[in-house]
Structure formats: C-alpha cells, structure tokens
Amino acid sequence: MSGCTHRFGPRGLCRGAALTLVFGCVLATAAATGSLPQEPDAAPGPRTRAVSSTVAPVDRDEIEDAAADAQADGKSVKDAAEEVVSRSGDRWGAVYDQREYEEFEQALDGSYTGVGLSARRTDDGAVSVSRVQPGGPADRAGIRAGDLLRTLDGRRIDRRPVAEVVALLRGDGTGAAAGSRVELGLVRDGRSWTRTLERARLTTEAVTVRRLGAEPSSAVLIKVAAFTKGAGAKVRDAVRSAPEGAGILLDLRANSGGLVAEAVVAASAFLDGGLVATYDVRGEQRALHADPGGDTDRPVVVLVDGGTMSAAELLTGALQDRGRAVTVGTPTFGKGSVQMPSKLPGGSVAELTVGHYRTPGGHNVDGRGITPDLVVHERAQQRAETVLSGLGGGS
C-alpha cells in the first residue's frame, strides 16, 4: 500500500525517551515510500532495530484495547500502552506521545533539538565528543572533539549507553525544548570544567563529500551521518560526479540508521540492481532491491565501527555480501529488527517489533553486527585509504 514507511534506527533505549536523529549516536524515524506494508490506521512507518530473538511480538489488538480502555476511564493512554509493551518483553518496543512523535517526524528533514555535538564510546569506556556542529551551542561554548563527557546536569554518565547520553543531551522524555538548558561536565587534557548550554533547533547535513588529495584521480570521501530524507540521492550524486578512476571511501562510522529507502538508494549507487536485504513482517518474507544502473567499476571501501547501526548496517551488509566493497573498521552494532508503528487514541504511537532483516548472504545482523573484512581499532581511516589505494582507487 502507498504511504507506508520503513525505518531503521534505535528507539526506546530509555523507556519513554524520544531518541530522534542525533549525529553519530542514535537515529530514529522516517517516512519512506515503497517499503513495508502499512497496516490500517497505522501511524507512519515500520523500521528496524535490534531486539532479543526470544521476544514474542506484542499483539496489536491487545495494546489498542488497553489504550481504548484507558481513554474511556480517563487514564493515560500512553501509560496503559507502555504497560502492555513492558509485559511483552519486547526490548525495543516503545510508546510515544504526540509531541515526541512529531519530533521524530521533524528529524526526517535533518532537524533536531539539541546542543550540536556527537558522542561516542572510547576504547576505555568513557564517553567523548566525536564531532561538534559549527555554530551550534556546543561550538559557541568552546567544546571540541575529543573532550570527555563526564556528567550531564550533575549526573555521572560514564557507564550509560551512548544512546541514553544523547537522549539526556536532547532532553527527550522531559519536554525540554529549544531554549531549555543542560549542564555538561567535561574533561580536556586532565582539566575538568562545566558548561551550561541552551538547547537550540538545529539542522545538519546528513552527507558530506570531500576529496582526499589534490590529484585529479584522488579518492572521494563520502561521510553519511544518517539516512534522513534525501541522503541516498546525495550519495548517488556524489558517486556519479566523482572523477573517473577515483575510488570511494564511504564512511558510515557513528551512523545510527534512518530511512531504509534512503539506504537502498545509496546501495543503488554502487550496484546494478539485485538484492539489498530480505526481511520478514510477522512471518511474511519480503525483499529490498537496488535500482539498476549503479557504478559497479570504481573501487569502494566502507568504514564502520560500533556506532554503525540499522540502515547503515543494511547498506554495509549489502555491499560486503555482494563483493562490491571492502569493509574496514570494527564490528558494527547489530541492530536488525523491524518495528511497525500503530496510532493509538489521543495521538500516541506504539512501535512494536514484528520481524528481522538479513543481508543478501542470509546473515542475521540482529545482536551480531557485521565483522569488517579488515578489523582495525586504531587509525582506521588511514588504513582504509591505504586499502583503497591498493585497489586502484587513488590516494
């Protein structure tokens, strides 16, 4: 049916927390076309994320009945629906109120409320700033990539999942909006300090492109931060406009997913049709295929890490399994379950796990991730550039 959506990206890492698109950490939602079937009266879109293989799908009628009963009794529809999801054991099932879901939809266009920084887990378990958005609140406060994040509003975050840290930065689940404040405790070169930042409405470029050298045939680096609307076409256009003979370094590190349709378009830039992934929805098998006419000649290396999730893993698995790219980096996150949103009374939305996806080679990514062809823990980009050069892709 038309109007369906299909999304890859973690949500609900903290119960009730809205984890919308944030650079290099957690991505969420989307309205794609031509993807999974939309159920009657469903809210926009199925998507995927990791979930325990032992989870029994939540019965949609059960959650809708609980929501209807709650509304009739004057109780919280969201609380009633969350209770059903909690009992089900669906680790990645989640319920969002209308405001939270609207935030997700805004993220589809690459906008979000936050402080303008990306975070990652370091090898020793700390949380560090991996990127600062130029002109954003973090940038204006003098925060730099490499700074360590130790506290948020006075709470230690060392052992919290990065996705949870991102939710706290955004103020998800608390109603925090642009203009609200968050205090960050940071460490740089052994010196500790705090900064209080005002959250702002920010936009970002999901895809950035640059040359890796000055020679005419120098390789092209395509960095995809997230698969928001238009990201796939930007990857395709970058490949088409790359100099003849130039290789492509596709950087998917810290890409936490997004719209599966965009990931398929990106895959189509490197493939001449064929299978991208298979998936099931409540036991019914489906397939995603690339469009014909992609560039199948120029060398491609894909950079991945533990922050490569969901739709980014789908793209990585397709290029790896089909022998189209050499993958370099560290094993990916392992998020490959399918969620189907359903609209509840009062505007709330429940997202329930309904299936999983597999790579063209039949590999289940969920809970396992993808192991790169070349596992590199340090200077990964440098090693990837060397591999690309060895493939004849320029330097």
Side-chain angles (χ1 to χ4, degrees):
M1 297 175 67
S2 62
C4 68
T5 65
H6 181 187
R7 293 176 273 217
F8 284 65
R11 290 264 285 276
L13 291 173
C14 308
R15 190 178 179 192
L19 305 182
T20 60
L21 171 62
V22 182
F23 312 106
C25 300
V26 175
L27 181 80
T29 86
T33 58
S35 304
L36 300 188
Q38 183 173 352
E39 298 186 356
D41 300 321
R47 56 177 167 269
T48 67
R49 49 177 185 263
V51 64
S52 168
S53 59
T54 61
V55 169
V58 183
D59 183 80
R60 184 183 174 207
D61 291 339
E62 180 183 359
I63 199 169
E64 290 183 347
D65 288 347
D69 290 344
Q71 186 180 47
D73 294 340
K75 298 179 180 179
S76 168
V77 169
K78 181 181 177 182
D79 289 349
E82 284 182 336
E83 178 64 27
V84 175
V85 173
S86 178
R87 289 200 312 266
S88 75
D90 185 344
R91 180 184 175 194
W92 299 103
V95 182
Y96 306 98
D97 62 29
Q98 187 172 4
R99 186 197 65 81
E100 291 169 341
Y101 207 78
E102 288 173 353
E103 282 283 316
F104 286 142
E105 298 308 311
Q106 290 175 353
L108 300 180
D109 293 321
S111 66
Y112 71 105
T113 299
V115 297
L117 63 79
S118 306
R120 62 178 291 272
R121 180 74 60 188
T122 65
D123 292 339
D124 60 2
V127 178
S128 72
V129 176
S130 58
R131 181 181 180 275
V132 177
Q133 182 173 350
D139 183 37
R140 294 195 298 271
I143 297 171
R144 300 199 304 251
D147 291 344
L148 298 179
L149 281 170
R150 290 293 172 83
T151 63
L152 290 179
D153 289 332
R155 292 177 288 179
R156 297 279 298 189
I157 61 169
D158 305 64
R159 300 189 180 278
R160 291 178 181 265
V162 171
E164 196 170 315
V165 174
V166 171
L168 292 171
L169 283 169
R170 291 180 46 81
D172 291 334
T174 67
S180 62
R181 295 186 176 187
V182 58
E183 182 187 79
L184 277 60
L186 303 113
V187 177
R188 181 191 299 163
D189 299 329
R191 181 178 65 88
S192 300
W193 83 102
T194 62
R195 287 288 186 273
T196 298
L197 308 182
E198 281 194 5
R199 297 181 179 94
R201 196 72 195 170
L202 302 170
T203 58
T204 182
E205 287 294 327
V207 179
T208 54
V209 183
R210 67 180 176 89
R211 299 284 291 278
L212 291 174
E215 298 298 322
S217 60
S218 295
V220 175
L221 172 66
I222 303 174
K223 169 67 177 176
V224 187
F227 286 105
T228 51
K229 286 181 180 178
K234 289 180 180 178
V235 171
R236 179 196 61 208
D237 294 344
V239 173
R240 289 177 176 174
S241 61
E244 184 176 354
I248 300 294
L249 181 56
L250 182 64
D251 189 352
L252 300 180
R253 291 175 297 177
N255 181 320
S256 50
L259 296 167
V260 66
E262 299 296 338
V264 172
V265 172
S268 300
F270 304 101
L271 301 170
D272 186 13
L275 188 64
V276 172
T278 59
Y279 62 93
D280 62 276
V281 177
R282 297 196 175 98
E284 183 178 351
Q285 298 300 310
R286 310 288 178 84
L288 299 167
H289 293 90
D291 293 330
D295 188 325
T296 59
D297 295 325
R298 68 174 75 240
V300 180
V301 172
V302 180
L303 260 173
V304 296
D305 65 6
T308 304
M309 307 181 192
S310 305
E313 289 178 287
L314 178 144
L315 173 57
T316 301
L319 298 182
Q320 184 185 58
D321 279 9
R322 295 190 55 184
R324 184 60 190 92
V326 176
T327 52
V328 177
T330 54
T332 64
F333 187 87
K335 188 167 291 298
S337 66
V338 179
Q339 279 69 41
M340 180 80 74
S342 296
K343 186 176 291 185
L344 302 176
S348 294
V349 175
E351 287 206 331
L352 312 175
T353 300
V354 296
H356 298 80
Y357 81 89
R358 294 178 180 271
T359 67
H363 302 110
N364 183 2
V365 175
D366 190 33
R368 297 176 174 86
I370 296 172
T371 300
D373 300 310
L374 177 61
V375 177
V376 177
H377 293 278
E378 296 180 355
R379 296 183 295 179
Q381 182 170 329
Q382 181 179 338
R383 294 289 298 277
E385 290 180 24
T386 300
V387 171
L388 188 58
S389 178
L391 295 173
S395 60

